[in-house]
Amino acid sequence: MNSRAFLFLAEGFEITEAMAPADILVRGGVELNLISISDSLSVTSAQRISVNAECTLGQYSLDDIRKEDVMIFPGGMPGTSNLAACSPLMNKMQSHFAEGGTVAAICAAPGFVLSQLPLEEVVRTKGSLTMASYEGCESALVEKGVTVIDPRQGVVEDGNIISASGPGHAVAFGLKILEHIAGAETAHTVAKALML
Protein backbone atom coordinates (compact mmCIF):
# COMPACT_ATOMS: atom_id res chain seq x y z
CA MET A 1 0.00 0.00 0.00
CA ASN A 2 1.60 3.25 -1.15
CA SER A 3 1.97 6.11 1.29
CA ARG A 4 0.14 9.31 0.43
CA ALA A 5 0.72 12.91 1.49
CA PHE A 6 -1.92 15.25 2.86
CA LEU A 7 -1.07 18.95 2.85
CA PHE A 8 -3.40 21.23 4.79
CA LEU A 9 -4.00 24.81 3.69
CA ALA A 10 -5.32 27.55 5.97
CA GLU A 11 -5.91 31.21 5.17
CA GLY A 12 -2.58 33.02 5.56
CA PHE A 13 -0.29 30.08 4.81
CA GLU A 14 3.28 30.62 3.55
CA ILE A 15 3.16 30.01 -0.20
CA THR A 16 6.70 28.67 -0.63
CA GLU A 17 6.40 26.29 2.32
CA ALA A 18 3.28 24.72 0.82
CA MET A 19 3.91 24.80 -2.91
CA ALA A 20 7.59 23.78 -2.99
CA PRO A 21 6.96 20.50 -1.11
CA ALA A 22 3.75 19.95 -3.11
CA ASP A 23 5.66 20.31 -6.38
CA ILE A 24 8.44 17.98 -5.25
CA LEU A 25 6.06 15.28 -4.04
CA VAL A 26 4.12 15.33 -7.32
CA ARG A 27 7.39 15.17 -9.29
CA GLY A 28 8.32 12.16 -7.18
CA GLY A 29 5.10 10.34 -8.05
CA VAL A 30 3.50 10.66 -4.61
CA GLU A 31 -0.29 10.89 -4.36
CA LEU A 32 -0.75 14.37 -2.93
CA ASN A 33 -4.00 15.63 -1.43
CA LEU A 34 -4.37 19.40 -0.95
CA ILE A 35 -7.04 20.04 1.65
CA SER A 36 -8.47 23.42 2.63
CA ILE A 37 -9.45 23.66 6.28
CA SER A 38 -12.02 26.37 5.47
CA ASP A 39 -15.33 26.07 3.63
CA SER A 40 -13.75 27.33 0.41
CA LEU A 41 -11.51 25.48 -2.04
CA SER A 42 -9.69 28.75 -2.74
CA VAL A 43 -7.21 29.54 0.02
CA THR A 44 -5.26 32.81 0.10
CA SER A 45 -1.66 32.75 1.25
CA ALA A 46 0.07 35.32 3.44
CA GLN A 47 1.54 36.63 0.18
CA ARG A 48 -2.01 37.20 -1.22
CA ILE A 49 -1.60 34.38 -3.77
CA SER A 50 -4.64 32.10 -3.94
CA VAL A 51 -4.32 28.34 -4.32
CA ASN A 52 -7.15 25.95 -5.11
CA ALA A 53 -7.33 22.91 -2.86
CA GLU A 54 -8.84 19.66 -4.11
CA CYS A 55 -11.38 19.49 -1.32
CA THR A 56 -12.31 21.09 1.97
CA LEU A 57 -12.03 19.49 5.37
CA GLY A 58 -15.82 19.24 5.43
CA GLN A 59 -15.80 17.27 2.16
CA TYR A 60 -13.05 14.87 3.18
CA SER A 61 -13.18 12.18 5.83
CA LEU A 62 -10.03 12.47 7.94
CA ASP A 63 -10.60 8.83 8.88
CA ASP A 64 -9.33 7.98 5.39
CA ILE A 65 -5.81 9.05 6.38
CA ARG A 66 -3.85 5.87 7.10
CA LYS A 67 -0.89 5.22 9.36
CA GLU A 68 1.36 4.98 6.27
CA ASP A 69 0.41 8.48 5.10
CA VAL A 70 2.14 11.77 5.92
CA MET A 71 0.29 14.82 7.26
CA ILE A 72 1.99 18.09 6.22
CA PHE A 73 1.55 21.51 7.86
CA PRO A 74 3.02 24.62 6.20
CA GLY A 75 3.85 27.70 8.25
CA GLY A 76 3.04 31.35 7.69
CA MET A 77 0.84 33.66 9.70
CA PRO A 78 -2.00 33.64 10.40
CA GLY A 79 -2.09 30.28 8.57
CA THR A 80 -0.28 28.40 11.31
CA SER A 81 -2.59 29.77 14.01
CA ASN A 82 -5.58 28.80 11.88
CA LEU A 83 -4.28 25.23 11.54
CA ALA A 84 -3.61 25.03 15.29
CA ALA A 85 -7.14 26.24 16.06
CA CYS A 86 -8.80 23.62 13.83
CA SER A 87 -9.92 21.02 16.39
CA PRO A 88 -10.90 18.20 13.97
CA LEU A 89 -7.52 18.49 12.25
CA MET A 90 -5.56 18.61 15.50
CA ASN A 91 -7.48 15.62 16.85
CA LYS A 92 -6.65 13.65 13.70
CA MET A 93 -3.00 14.70 13.88
CA GLN A 94 -2.80 13.45 17.46
CA SER A 95 -4.40 10.07 16.69
CA HIS A 96 -2.30 9.71 13.52
CA PHE A 97 0.89 10.35 15.49
CA ALA A 98 -0.21 8.05 18.31
CA GLU A 99 -0.55 5.12 15.90
CA GLY A 100 2.91 5.77 14.46
CA GLY A 101 1.98 7.98 11.52
CA THR A 102 4.39 10.62 10.25
CA VAL A 103 3.80 14.35 10.61
CA ALA A 104 5.76 17.09 8.85
CA ALA A 105 5.78 20.82 9.62
CA ILE A 106 7.81 23.86 8.64
CA CYS A 107 8.48 27.36 9.98
CA ALA A 108 6.02 28.33 12.74
CA ALA A 109 4.03 25.08 12.39
CA PRO A 110 6.39 22.88 14.46
CA GLY A 111 6.03 25.29 17.39
CA PHE A 112 2.31 26.01 17.09
CA VAL A 113 0.90 22.82 15.54
CA LEU A 114 3.22 19.91 16.38
CA SER A 115 3.62 21.22 19.95
CA GLN A 116 0.05 19.97 20.48
CA LEU A 117 1.46 16.43 20.31
CA PRO A 118 2.70 14.69 23.48
CA LEU A 119 6.31 15.46 22.59
CA GLU A 120 7.40 15.30 26.21
CA GLU A 121 6.45 11.61 26.19
CA VAL A 122 8.61 11.08 23.10
CA VAL A 123 11.52 12.78 24.83
CA ARG A 124 10.98 10.67 27.95
CA THR A 125 10.71 7.42 25.96
CA LYS A 126 13.53 8.00 23.47
CA GLY A 127 15.76 10.11 25.69
CA SER A 128 15.76 12.98 23.18
CA LEU A 129 13.89 14.56 20.28
CA THR A 130 15.38 16.99 17.78
CA MET A 131 13.28 19.35 15.67
CA ALA A 132 13.55 22.51 13.58
CA SER A 133 11.48 25.67 14.01
CA TYR A 134 11.32 29.24 12.81
CA GLU A 135 13.38 31.45 15.09
CA GLY A 136 11.19 32.79 17.88
CA CYS A 137 8.50 30.09 17.51
CA GLU A 138 10.25 27.30 19.40
CA SER A 139 9.29 28.01 23.02
CA ALA A 140 6.44 25.45 23.16
CA LEU A 141 8.83 22.80 21.84
CA VAL A 142 11.60 23.68 24.28
CA GLU A 143 9.11 23.56 27.16
CA LYS A 144 8.43 19.92 26.23
CA GLY A 145 12.13 19.05 26.28
CA VAL A 146 12.69 19.14 22.51
CA THR A 147 16.16 20.07 21.23
CA VAL A 148 15.70 22.71 18.51
CA ILE A 149 18.43 22.87 15.88
CA ASP A 150 20.06 26.06 14.60
CA PRO A 151 17.53 27.46 12.06
CA ARG A 152 20.27 27.66 9.41
CA GLN A 153 20.57 23.86 9.50
CA GLY A 154 17.11 23.77 7.99
CA VAL A 155 15.57 20.30 8.09
CA VAL A 156 15.58 17.42 10.53
CA GLU A 157 13.86 14.04 10.60
CA ASP A 158 13.63 12.38 13.99
CA GLY A 159 11.46 9.30 14.25
CA ASN A 160 8.10 10.04 12.66
CA ILE A 161 8.52 13.83 12.77
CA ILE A 162 9.95 15.85 9.88
CA SER A 163 10.46 19.55 10.59
CA ALA A 164 12.07 22.54 8.91
CA SER A 165 12.91 26.06 10.00
CA GLY A 166 11.55 28.29 7.26
CA PRO A 167 10.77 29.10 3.63
CA GLY A 168 14.42 29.06 2.57
CA HIS A 169 14.44 25.33 3.39
CA ALA A 170 11.10 24.46 1.73
CA VAL A 171 12.72 22.51 -1.13
CA ALA A 172 14.90 20.51 1.26
CA PHE A 173 11.81 19.91 3.41
CA GLY A 174 9.93 18.56 0.40
CA LEU A 175 12.83 16.34 -0.58
CA LYS A 176 13.06 14.94 2.96
CA ILE A 177 9.34 14.08 2.91
CA LEU A 178 9.76 12.51 -0.53
CA GLU A 179 12.73 10.47 0.71
CA HIS A 180 10.65 9.28 3.66
CA ILE A 181 7.80 8.18 1.39
CA ALA A 182 9.52 7.00 -1.79
CA GLY A 183 13.15 6.40 -0.83
CA ALA A 184 16.50 8.14 -1.23
CA GLU A 185 16.89 7.22 -4.91
CA THR A 186 13.62 8.92 -5.89
CA ALA A 187 14.49 12.00 -3.84
CA HIS A 188 17.93 12.12 -5.48
CA THR A 189 16.39 11.84 -8.97
CA VAL A 190 13.99 14.72 -8.26
CA ALA A 191 16.76 16.83 -6.72
CA LYS A 192 18.89 16.27 -9.80
CA ALA A 193 15.99 17.30 -12.09
CA LEU A 194 15.67 20.49 -10.02
CA MET A 195 19.39 21.17 -10.69
CA LEU A 196 20.33 20.76 -7.03
Side-chain angles (χ1 to χ4, degrees), residues 54-102:
E54 292 157 340
C55 64
T56 66
L57 207 57
Q59 297 169 331
Y60 193 86
S61 171
L62 289 173
D63 292 337
D64 186 50
I65 298 175
R66 308 177 310 238
K67 177 185 172 182
E68 299 80 18
D69 300 331
V70 179
M71 297 179 71
I72 305 170
F73 306 96
M77 283 297 184
T80 304
S81 297
N82 290 332
L83 289 173
C86 181
S87 297
L89 181 59
M90 293 300 95
N91 290 340
K92 177 58 187 181
M93 176 187 72
Q94 289 163 350
S95 63
H96 181 66
F97 185 75
E99 66 179 12
T102 296

Coordinates of all heavy atoms in Angstrom, one line a residue, residues 54-102:
E54 N -8.0 20.7 -3.4 CA -8.8 19.7 -4.1 C -10.2 19.4 -3.4 O -11.2 19.0 -4.0 CB -8.0 18.4 -4.2 CG -6.9 18.5 -5.2 CD -5.8 17.5 -5.0 OE1 -5.7 16.9 -3.9 OE2 -5.0 17.3 -5.9
C55 N -10.1 19.6 -2.1 CA -11.4 19.5 -1.3 C -11.2 20.2 0.0 O -10.1 20.6 0.4 CB -11.7 18.0 -1.1 SG -10.5 17.1 -0.1
T56 N -12.3 20.4 0.7 CA -12.3 21.1 2.0 C -12.3 20.0 3.0 O -12.7 18.8 2.8 CB -13.5 22.0 2.2 OG1 -14.7 21.2 2.2 CG2 -13.6 23.0 1.0
L57 N -12.0 20.4 4.2 CA -12.0 19.5 5.4 C -13.4 18.9 5.6 O -13.6 17.7 5.9 CB -11.6 20.2 6.6 CG -10.9 19.4 7.7 CD1 -9.7 18.7 7.2 CD2 -10.5 20.4 8.9
G58 N -14.4 19.7 5.3 CA -15.8 19.2 5.4 C -16.2 18.2 4.4 O -17.1 17.4 4.6
Q59 N -15.5 18.2 3.2 CA -15.8 17.3 2.2 C -15.0 16.0 2.3 O -15.3 15.0 1.6 CB -15.5 17.9 0.8 CG -16.4 19.1 0.5 CD -15.8 19.9 -0.8 OE1 -14.6 19.9 -1.0 NE2 -16.7 20.5 -1.5
Y60 N -14.0 16.0 3.1 CA -13.1 14.9 3.2 C -13.1 14.2 4.6 O -13.1 14.9 5.6 CB -11.6 15.3 2.9 CG -10.7 14.2 2.7 CD1 -10.5 13.7 1.4 CD2 -10.0 13.6 3.7 CE1 -9.7 12.6 1.1 CE2 -9.2 12.5 3.5 CZ -9.0 12.0 2.2 OH -8.2 10.9 1.9
S61 N -13.2 12.9 4.6 CA -13.2 12.2 5.8 C -11.7 12.0 6.3 O -11.0 11.2 5.7 CB -13.9 10.8 5.7 OG -13.7 10.1 6.9
L62 N -11.4 12.6 7.4 CA -10.0 12.5 7.9 C -9.7 11.0 8.3 O -8.6 10.6 8.4 CB -9.8 13.4 9.1 CG -9.8 14.9 8.8 CD1 -9.7 15.7 10.1 CD2 -8.5 15.2 7.9
D63 N -10.8 10.2 8.5 CA -10.6 8.8 8.9 C -9.9 8.1 7.8 O -9.4 7.0 8.0 CB -11.9 8.2 9.2 CG -12.5 8.7 10.5 OD1 -11.8 9.2 11.3 OD2 -13.8 8.6 10.7
D64 N -9.9 8.6 6.5 CA -9.3 8.0 5.4 C -7.8 8.1 5.4 O -7.1 7.3 4.7 CB -9.8 8.6 4.1 CG -9.4 7.9 2.9 OD1 -9.5 6.6 2.8 OD2 -8.8 8.5 1.9
I65 N -7.3 8.9 6.3 CA -5.8 9.0 6.4 C -5.3 7.8 7.2 O -5.7 7.6 8.3 CB -5.4 10.4 7.1 CG1 -5.9 11.6 6.2 CG2 -3.9 10.4 7.3 CD1 -5.6 12.9 6.9
R66 N -4.4 7.1 6.5 CA -3.9 5.9 7.1 C -2.5 6.1 7.8 O -1.9 7.1 7.6 CB -3.6 4.8 6.0 CG -4.8 4.6 5.1 CD -4.5 3.6 4.0 NE -3.2 3.9 3.3 CZ -3.1 4.2 2.0 NH1 -4.2 4.1 1.2 NH2 -2.0 4.5 1.5
K67 N -2.1 5.1 8.6 CA -0.9 5.2 9.4 C 0.3 5.5 8.4 O 1.2 6.2 8.8 CB -0.7 3.9 10.1 CG 0.6 3.8 10.9 CD 0.8 2.5 11.5 CE 2.2 2.3 12.1 NZ 2.4 1.0 12.7
E68 N 0.2 4.9 7.2 CA 1.4 5.0 6.3 C 1.5 6.4 5.6 O 2.5 6.7 5.0 CB 1.2 4.0 5.1 CG 1.2 2.5 5.6 CD -0.2 2.1 6.1 OE1 -1.2 2.7 5.9 OE2 -0.2 1.1 6.8
D69 N 0.4 7.2 5.8 CA 0.4 8.5 5.1 C 1.1 9.5 5.9 O 1.4 9.4 7.1 CB -1.0 8.9 4.9 CG -1.8 7.9 4.0 OD1 -1.2 7.3 3.1 OD2 -3.0 7.8 4.2
V70 N 1.4 10.7 5.3 CA 2.1 11.8 5.9 C 1.2 13.0 5.9 O 0.7 13.4 4.9 CB 3.5 12.1 5.2 CG1 4.1 13.3 5.9 CG2 4.4 10.9 5.2
M71 N 1.1 13.6 7.1 CA 0.3 14.8 7.3 C 1.3 16.0 7.3 O 2.2 16.0 8.1 CB -0.5 14.8 8.6 CG -1.6 13.7 8.6 SD -2.5 13.7 10.2 CE -3.5 15.2 10.0
I72 N 1.0 17.0 6.4 CA 2.0 18.1 6.2 C 1.3 19.4 6.6 O 0.2 19.7 6.1 CB 2.5 18.2 4.8 CG1 3.1 16.8 4.4 CG2 3.5 19.3 4.6 CD1 3.4 16.7 2.9
F73 N 2.1 20.2 7.4 CA 1.5 21.5 7.9 C 2.5 22.6 7.5 O 3.6 22.7 8.1 CB 1.3 21.5 9.4 CG 0.5 20.3 9.8 CD1 1.1 19.1 10.3 CD2 -0.9 20.4 9.8 CE1 0.3 18.1 10.7 CE2 -1.7 19.3 10.2 CZ -1.1 18.2 10.6
P74 N 2.2 23.5 6.5 CA 3.0 24.6 6.2 C 2.9 25.7 7.3 O 1.9 25.7 8.0 CB 2.5 25.1 4.9 CG 1.1 24.6 4.8 CD 1.0 23.4 5.6
G75 N 3.9 26.6 7.3 CA 3.8 27.7 8.2 C 3.2 28.9 7.7 O 2.3 28.8 6.8
G76 N 3.6 30.1 8.1 CA 3.0 31.3 7.7 C 2.0 31.8 8.7 O 1.4 31.0 9.4
M77 N 1.8 33.1 8.8 CA 0.8 33.7 9.7 C -0.2 34.5 8.9 O 0.2 35.3 8.0 CB 1.5 34.5 10.8 CG 2.2 33.7 11.8 SD 1.0 32.7 12.8 CE 2.1 32.0 14.0
P78 N -1.4 34.4 9.3 CA -2.0 33.6 10.4 C -2.3 32.2 10.1 O -3.0 31.5 10.8 CB -3.3 34.4 10.7 CG -3.8 34.9 9.4 CD -2.5 35.2 8.6
G79 N -1.8 31.7 9.0 CA -2.1 30.3 8.6 C -1.8 29.2 9.6 O -2.6 28.4 9.9
T80 N -0.6 29.4 10.3 CA -0.3 28.4 11.3 C -1.3 28.4 12.5 O -1.7 27.4 13.0 CB 1.1 28.7 11.8 OG1 2.0 28.6 10.7 CG2 1.6 27.6 12.8
S81 N -1.6 29.6 12.9 CA -2.6 29.8 14.0 C -3.9 29.2 13.6 O -4.6 28.6 14.4 CB -2.8 31.2 14.4 OG -1.6 31.8 14.9
N82 N -4.3 29.4 12.3 CA -5.6 28.8 11.9 C -5.6 27.3 11.9 O -6.5 26.6 12.2 CB -5.9 29.3 10.5 CG -6.3 30.8 10.5 OD1 -6.8 31.3 11.5 ND2 -6.0 31.5 9.4
L83 N -4.4 26.7 11.5 CA -4.3 25.2 11.5 C -4.4 24.8 13.0 O -5.1 23.8 13.3 CB -2.9 24.8 11.0 CG -2.7 24.9 9.5 CD1 -1.2 24.6 9.2 CD2 -3.6 24.0 8.7
A84 N -3.7 25.4 13.9 CA -3.6 25.0 15.3 C -5.0 25.1 16.0 O -5.3 24.4 16.9 CB -2.6 25.9 16.0
A85 N -5.8 26.0 15.5 CA -7.1 26.2 16.1 C -8.2 25.3 15.5 O -9.4 25.3 15.9 CB -7.6 27.7 15.9
C86 N -7.8 24.5 14.5 CA -8.8 23.6 13.8 C -8.9 22.3 14.6 O -8.1 21.4 14.4 CB -8.4 23.4 12.4 SG -9.5 22.3 11.5
S87 N -9.8 22.2 15.5 CA -9.9 21.0 16.4 C -10.0 19.7 15.7 O -9.3 18.7 16.1 CB -11.1 21.2 17.3 OG -10.9 22.3 18.2
P88 N -10.8 19.5 14.6 CA -10.9 18.2 14.0 C -9.5 17.8 13.4 O -9.2 16.6 13.5 CB -11.9 18.4 12.9 CG -12.7 19.6 13.3 CD -11.8 20.5 14.0
L89 N -8.8 18.8 12.8 CA -7.5 18.5 12.3 C -6.5 18.1 13.3 O -5.7 17.2 13.2 CB -7.0 19.7 11.4 CG -5.7 19.5 10.7 CD1 -5.7 18.3 9.8 CD2 -5.3 20.8 10.0
M90 N -6.5 18.9 14.4 CA -5.6 18.6 15.5 C -5.8 17.3 16.2 O -4.9 16.5 16.5 CB -5.6 19.7 16.5 CG -5.1 21.1 16.0 SD -3.3 21.1 15.5 CE -3.6 20.8 13.7
N91 N -7.1 16.9 16.3 CA -7.5 15.6 16.9 C -7.0 14.5 16.0 O -6.4 13.5 16.4 CB -9.0 15.5 17.0 CG -9.5 16.4 18.1 OD1 -8.8 16.8 19.0 ND2 -10.8 16.7 18.1
K92 N -7.1 14.7 14.6 CA -6.6 13.6 13.7 C -5.1 13.6 13.7 O -4.6 12.5 13.7 CB -7.1 14.0 12.3 CG -6.6 13.0 11.2 CD -7.0 11.5 11.5 CE -6.4 10.5 10.6 NZ -6.8 9.1 10.9
M93 N -4.5 14.7 13.8 CA -3.0 14.7 13.9 C -2.5 13.9 15.1 O -1.6 13.1 15.0 CB -2.5 16.1 13.9 CG -0.9 16.2 14.1 SD -0.3 17.9 14.4 CE -0.9 18.2 16.1
Q94 N -3.2 14.1 16.2 CA -2.8 13.4 17.5 C -3.0 11.9 17.4 O -2.2 11.2 17.8 CB -3.6 14.1 18.6 CG -3.1 15.5 19.0 CD -4.1 16.2 19.8 OE1 -5.2 15.8 20.1 NE2 -3.6 17.4 20.3
S95 N -4.1 11.5 16.8 CA -4.4 10.1 16.7 C -3.5 9.4 15.6 O -3.0 8.3 15.8 CB -5.9 9.8 16.4 OG -6.2 10.3 15.1
H96 N -3.2 10.2 14.6 CA -2.3 9.7 13.5 C -0.9 9.5 14.1 O -0.3 8.4 13.9 CB -2.2 10.8 12.4 CG -1.4 10.4 11.2 ND1 -1.6 9.3 10.4 CD2 -0.2 10.9 10.8 CE1 -0.7 9.2 9.5 NE2 0.2 10.2 9.7
F97 N -0.4 10.4 14.9 CA 0.9 10.3 15.5 C 0.9 9.2 16.5 O 1.9 8.5 16.6 CB 1.2 11.7 16.2 CG 2.6 11.7 16.7 CD1 3.7 11.9 15.9 CD2 2.8 11.7 18.1 CE1 5.0 11.9 16.4 CE2 4.1 11.8 18.6 CZ 5.2 11.9 17.8
A98 N -0.2 9.1 17.3 CA -0.2 8.1 18.3 C -0.1 6.6 17.7 O 0.5 5.7 18.4 CB -1.5 8.2 19.1
E99 N -0.6 6.5 16.5 CA -0.5 5.1 15.9 C 0.7 4.9 15.1 O 0.9 3.9 14.4 CB -1.8 4.8 15.0 CG -2.0 5.7 13.8 CD -3.2 5.3 13.0 OE1 -4.1 4.6 13.5 OE2 -3.3 5.8 11.9
G100 N 1.6 5.9 15.2 CA 2.9 5.8 14.5 C 3.0 6.5 13.1 O 4.0 6.3 12.4
G101 N 2.0 7.3 12.8 CA 2.0 8.0 11.5 C 3.0 9.1 11.5 O 3.3 9.7 12.6
T102 N 3.4 9.5 10.4 CA 4.4 10.6 10.3 C 3.7 12.0 10.1 O 2.7 12.1 9.3 CB 5.3 10.4 9.1 OG1 6.1 9.2 9.3 CG2 6.3 11.5 8.8

